[in-house]
């Protein structure tokens, strides 16, 4: 039986300065790409060909608990590499430690390959490009003998460059070459004289430079949401099946006051036709706060800046408040509260019960403690929220959590995307209770919503209504929470009595929306209790019945 090759991901040094300035000091394989780290995408490709994967990391890099658990589940070996080694010396060190002598795959840590078919041994991946970066150029390839040279190219004509994947049949032979003190490219060239090497062209996503990082990230974003997103250079077009929601979002952008337009991507009109509806926005490459929160390692002062900008956005929203106390405004506030806080939440609880075949009237056990049933919990939360008044109604985003906030660290600018919108075409401006946006922000900062979406947790369903949950709140997460504590809107912070029950209710109301992942769905249920238990005075039965409309 033929032994599968060993795959080595070369991520033994830190990313370049330009990338570290955006995401903190991270090895390339640990950079954020969507809701995952790059290494998770790399594993997905490599496990098509082998189960023996080694991830090289810098000797002094501290793994988060969530990463440790993920790597253990994937059965990936971690190898710490001395800081400052050249690529050739790092490969030699790894080959020596692992005693690799036969087939080996080498994948550079800033590289993601999308293979069309299985690569053969003695293959080097290449790509034709005009990009002006100092890459390893294939100067000559004659009968399998390669000549490589680092260079920028002439900037005018395409060139063929090595794209970061090397499949070698004889690890011992290559180790002998790098042992001679030559650089990595020279060792590949010499190796190819005795082991002819084929060139293989596949899709290459490069994360080694800040520009290529964001370009690759854009390609992955569009590919992931190919049914709803299109990106043609500077313009992002958002479409999809939920036409009513798309129209509501477009109305939000159209209704923005001049003072608020700086907080959103430029709105470039819609494409409403009889066949469907979509709208266009300026494409911004910036990461979301969810990516930065979950995966980056930013210094505290940057999170202080981010917190202040979130406060400025919410404060500007509140500048457009409805202060009228006449009957019409009173009805509008009470209707909003009944519809979004009472009816929607209780309807969602019942929908979740039917959908997940879950007893919403059964008591909950969480981490060995007993809590009220889901329905009783939801009713108690609603009871703890002060009904909306006309003074509470202001301009709002409606879904202001970290995943819907882009942030440019260089300019300290915030851009809000994917608003709840304006469902009623007769309305001229988005109006809602200001506390809702505060609760949405709180459920990212203190509710750890984005951590759960990225599976940064330990969760177990021990019985139908019995759960164990621990959210991995590393020191960096706690630092973010500390920097958001000073945020105040109308004298209220994110953990005020006005906000906590509404935040917990958000977790309850979103349960049916996560039906595609039952593990996450029940983790969110458990997290609603965890959050409320940690930040409130406790539970208690509802003090009065909440009548539902309709």
């Amino acid at each position: 039986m033929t032994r599968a090759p060993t795959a080595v991901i070369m991520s033994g040094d830190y990313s370049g300065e330009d990338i570290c300035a955006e995401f903190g000091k991270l090895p390339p394989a640990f950079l954020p790409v969507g809701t995952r780290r790059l290494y998770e995408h790399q594993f997905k490709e490599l496990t098509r060909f082998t189960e023996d994967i080694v991830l090289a990391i810098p000797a002094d890099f501290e793994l988060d608990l969530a990463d440790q658990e993920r790597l253990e589940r994937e059965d990936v070996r971690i190898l710490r590499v001395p800081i400052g080694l050249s690529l050739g010396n790092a490969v030699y060190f790894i080959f020596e430690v692992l005693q690799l002598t036969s087939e080996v795959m080498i994948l550079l840590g800033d590289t993601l390959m999308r293979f069309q078919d299985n690569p053969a041994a003695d293959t080097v991946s290449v790509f034709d490009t005009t990009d002006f970066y100092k890459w390893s150029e294939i100067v000559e390839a004659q009968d399998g003998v390669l000549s490589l040279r680092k260079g920028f190219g002439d900037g005018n004509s395409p060139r063929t460059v090595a794209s970061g994947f090397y499949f070698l049949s004889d690890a011992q032979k290559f180790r002998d070459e790098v042992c001679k003190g030559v650089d990595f490219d020279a060792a590949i060239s010499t190796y190819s004289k005795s082991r002819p090497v084929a060139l293989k062209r596949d899709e290459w996503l490069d994360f080694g430079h800040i520009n290529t990082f964001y370009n690759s990230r854009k390609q992955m974003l569009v590919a992931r949401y190919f049914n709803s997103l299109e990106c043609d250079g500077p313009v992002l077009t958002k479409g999809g099946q939920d036409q009513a929601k798309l129209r509501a979002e477009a109305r939000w952008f159209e209704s923005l006051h001049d003072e608020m337009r700086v907080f959103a991507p430029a709105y470039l009109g819609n494409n409403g036709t009889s066949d469907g509806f979509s709208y266009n926005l300026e494409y911004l490459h910036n990461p979301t706060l969810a990516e930065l929160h979950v995966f980056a390692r930013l210094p505290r002062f940057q999170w202080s800046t981010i917190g202040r900008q979130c406060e400025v956005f919410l404060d500007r929203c509140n500048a457009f408040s409805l202060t009228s106390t006449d009957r019409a405004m009173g009805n509008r506030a009470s209707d909003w509260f009944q519809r979004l806080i009472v009816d929607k939440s209780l309807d969602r609880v019942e929908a979740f019960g039917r959908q997940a075949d879950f007893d919403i009237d059964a008591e909950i056990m969480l981490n060995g403690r007993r809590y009220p049933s889901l329905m009783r919990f939801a009713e108690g939360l609603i009871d703890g929220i002060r009904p909306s008044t006309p003074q509470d109604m202001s301009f709002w985003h409606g879904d202001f959590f970290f995943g819907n906030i882009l942030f440019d660290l260089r300019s300290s600018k915030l851009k809000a995307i994917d608003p709840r919108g304006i469902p009623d075409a007769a309305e001229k401006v988005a109006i809602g209770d200001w506390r809702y946006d505060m609760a949405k922000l709180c459920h990212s900062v203190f509710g750890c919503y984005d951590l759960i979406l990225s599976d940064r947790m330990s969760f177990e369903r021990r019985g139908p209504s019995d759960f164990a949950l621990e959210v991995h709140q590393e020191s960096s997460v706690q630092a973010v929470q500390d920097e958001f504590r000073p945020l105040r809107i109308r004298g209220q912070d994110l953990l005020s009595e006005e906000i906590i029950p509404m935040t917990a209710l958000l977790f309850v109301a979103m349960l049916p929306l996560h039906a595609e992942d039952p593990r996450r769905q029940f983790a969110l249920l458990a997290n609603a209790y965890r959050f409320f238990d940690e930040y409130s005075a406790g539970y208690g039965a509802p003090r009065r019945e909440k009548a539902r409309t309709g």
Side-chain angles (χ1 to χ4, degrees):
M1 178 174 163
T2 304
R3 185 177 182 274
T6 297
V8 181
I9 300 175
M10 299 299 300
S11 190
D13 206 348
Y14 291 99
S15 299
E17 292 180 3
D18 55 349
I19 292 180
C20 287
E22 296 274 324
F23 301 105
K25 195 176 179 182
L26 291 173
F30 285 76
L31 292 172
V33 182
T35 59
R36 297 286 182 266
R37 291 203 190 272
L38 177 55
Y39 72 67
E40 298 177 67
H41 299 283
Q42 294 169 327
F43 293 168
K44 185 177 180 181
E45 287 295 322
L46 291 174
T47 51
R48 293 167 54 190
F49 318 119
T50 180
E51 296 180 355
D52 185 16
I53 299 177
V54 177
L55 176 59
I57 63 174
D60 63 351
F61 180 64
E62 295 183 12
L63 287 169
D64 291 341
L65 177 59
D67 288 310
Q68 293 179 34
E69 291 185 350
R70 176 63 54 82
L71 294 168
E72 288 174 2
R73 286 201 302 269
E74 297 284 352
D75 199 23
V76 171
R77 289 185 283 170
I78 297 296
L79 183 58
R80 295 185 176 275
V81 177
I83 304 296
L85 294 183
S86 67
L87 177 59
N89 287 337
V91 167
Y92 177 75
F93 174 83
I94 293 168
F95 282 23
E96 277 287 302
V97 170
L98 300 178
Q99 288 296 295
L100 299 178
T101 58
S102 55
E103 289 188 340
V104 63
M105 295 176 169
I106 300 172
L107 179 69
L108 301 190
D110 58 10
T111 296
L112 180 62
M113 301 300 303
R114 293 291 177 78
F115 298 102
Q116 297 177 12
D117 49 33
N118 290 7
D122 291 325
T123 297
V124 171
S125 66
V126 296
F127 194 81
D128 297 324
T129 181
T130 56
D131 286 349
F132 198 62
Y133 293 102
K134 193 175 183 180
W135 283 328
S136 297
E137 301 178 34
I138 308 297
V139 179
E140 186 177 357
Q142 187 74 27
D143 298 325
V145 178
L146 305 185
S147 176
L148 293 89
R149 178 184 63 205
K150 277 278 197 307
F152 290 93
D154 60 17
N156 298 314
S157 55
R159 57 186 175 136
T160 302
V161 300
S163 53
F165 175 78
Y166 308 82
F167 187 2
L168 309 177
S169 66
D170 191 343
Q172 179 66 58
K173 174 65 177 174
F174 190 71
R175 182 170 58 171
D176 292 342
E177 295 303 329
V178 293
C179 180
K180 297 174 183 177
V182 299
D183 66 21
F184 183 83
D185 286 347
I188 289 288
S189 296
T190 306
Y191 174 90
S192 70
K193 292 178 181 178
S194 58
R195 302 285 189 276
V197 171
L199 304 182
K200 180 174 173 55
R201 286 174 167 81
D202 287 296
E203 182 183 359
W204 172 38
L205 297 173
D206 178 64
F207 296 86
H209 304 272
I210 195 65
N211 289 344
T212 60
F213 173 91
Y214 281 122
N215 186 55
S216 296
R217 181 174 170 272
K218 178 175 70 173
Q219 292 182 52
M220 292 187 70
L221 176 70
V222 173
R224 181 182 178 189
Y225 299 103
F226 67 95
N227 282 327
S228 58
L229 289 182
E230 295 180 8
C231 190
D232 180 15
V235 179
L236 181 75
T237 300
K238 183 175 181 181
Q241 295 182 344
D242 194 339
Q243 297 286 288
K245 186 176 187 305
L246 289 168
R247 292 179 186 276
E249 291 179 9
R251 291 187 198 108
W252 187 87
F253 288 104
E254 291 167 353
S255 73
L256 285 175
H257 295 274
D258 290 343
E259 300 95 314
M260 296 300 298
R261 292 188 184 279
V262 69
F263 295 107
Y267 177 70
L268 304 174
N270 66 65
N271 310 299
T273 66
S274 57
D275 296 328
F277 183 89
S278 61
Y279 66 89
N280 306 314
L281 294 175
E282 165 196 17
Y283 174 75
L284 298 174
H285 66 266
N286 308 114
T288 66
L289 290 186
E291 291 175 290
L292 296 177
H293 180 47
V294 176
F295 299 114
R297 293 191 176 179
L298 299 179
R300 290 180 71 121
F301 77 85
Q302 288 185 314
W303 279 108
S304 177
T305 299
I306 292 169
R308 287 196 302 270
Q309 290 304 307
C310 288
E311 184 177 46
V312 169
F313 172 81
L314 293 172
D315 192 57
R316 293 284 182 87
C317 287
N318 273 267
F320 302 96
S321 60
L322 302 181
T323 57
S324 172
T325 57
D326 63 25
R327 183 178 298 275
M329 287 299 101
N331 289 341
R332 184 169 186 171
S334 62
D335 288 348
W336 183 96
F337 185 86
Q338 185 69 41
R339 180 167 40 87
L340 258 72
I341 301 302
V342 181
D343 293 347
K344 185 187 80 169
S345 301
L346 298 179
D347 286 345
R348 292 272 182 88
V349 169
E350 293 180 350
F352 168 69
R354 293 190 300 270
Q355 179 191 83
D357 192 22
F358 180 77
D359 186 353
I360 60 176
D361 295 312
E363 286 189 330
I364 299 293
M365 289 290 292
L366 175 61
N367 297 335
R369 292 186 58 188
R370 193 177 302 277
Y371 295 99
S373 71
L374 181 59
M375 179 56 81
R376 189 170 178 81
F377 180 43
E379 290 172 342
L381 292 173
I382 293 170
D383 189 61
I385 301 171
R386 175 179 57 78
S388 304
T389 67
Q391 289 77 14
D392 292 317
M393 307 303 284
S394 70
F395 180 80
W396 72 327
H397 178 275
D399 202 10
F400 193 65
F401 78 103
F402 276 177
N404 285 342
I405 305 171
L406 304 178
F407 201 84
D408 186 339
L409 287 165
R410 301 186 184 195
S411 64
S412 297
K413 289 183 178 179
L414 172 159
K415 301 288 184 178
I417 58 173
D418 294 348
R420 180 179 178 83
I422 306 176
D424 187 350
E427 298 288 344
K428 299 302 181 184
V429 66
I431 296 296
D433 190 320
W434 66 274
R435 297 173 296 174
Y436 197 89
D437 275 345
M438 286 279 280
K440 277 286 184 177
L441 185 58
C442 181
H443 103 303
S444 275
V445 177
F446 295 101
C448 302
Y449 176 63
D450 309 284
L451 297 176
I452 292 175
L453 287 190
S454 299
D455 200 22
R456 316 289 280 185
M457 62 180 176
S458 298
F459 175 75
E460 180 184 0
R461 188 180 184 190
R462 296 170 172 170
S465 302
D466 187 0
F467 310 101
L469 172 68
E470 179 186 359
V471 182
H472 297 323
Q473 299 186 59
E474 311 286 348
S475 59
S476 59
V477 173
Q478 295 168 18
V480 171
Q481 293 173 348
D482 289 344
E483 296 304 324
F484 271 81
R485 288 182 190 274
L487 185 149
R488 296 286 188 281
I489 299 296
R490 300 195 187 191
Q492 303 290 327
D493 61 37
L494 292 179
L495 292 176
S496 71
E497 292 183 0
E498 292 270 3
I499 307 303
I500 288 175
M502 193 177 287
T503 302
L505 193 64
L506 289 174
F507 285 104
V508 172
M510 68 173 55
L511 292 176
L513 307 182
H514 291 268
E516 79 285 354
D517 188 338
R519 179 175 181 272
R520 180 203 299 159
Q521 194 176 36
F522 282 101
L524 289 168
L525 183 156
N527 191 61
Y529 287 86
R530 177 205 67 82
F531 168 80
F532 193 71
D533 195 35
E534 181 173 352
Y535 292 109
S536 77
Y539 292 89
R543 292 186 297 275
R544 62 181 182 274
E545 292 297 321
K546 291 288 181 181
R548 298 170 63 188
T549 60

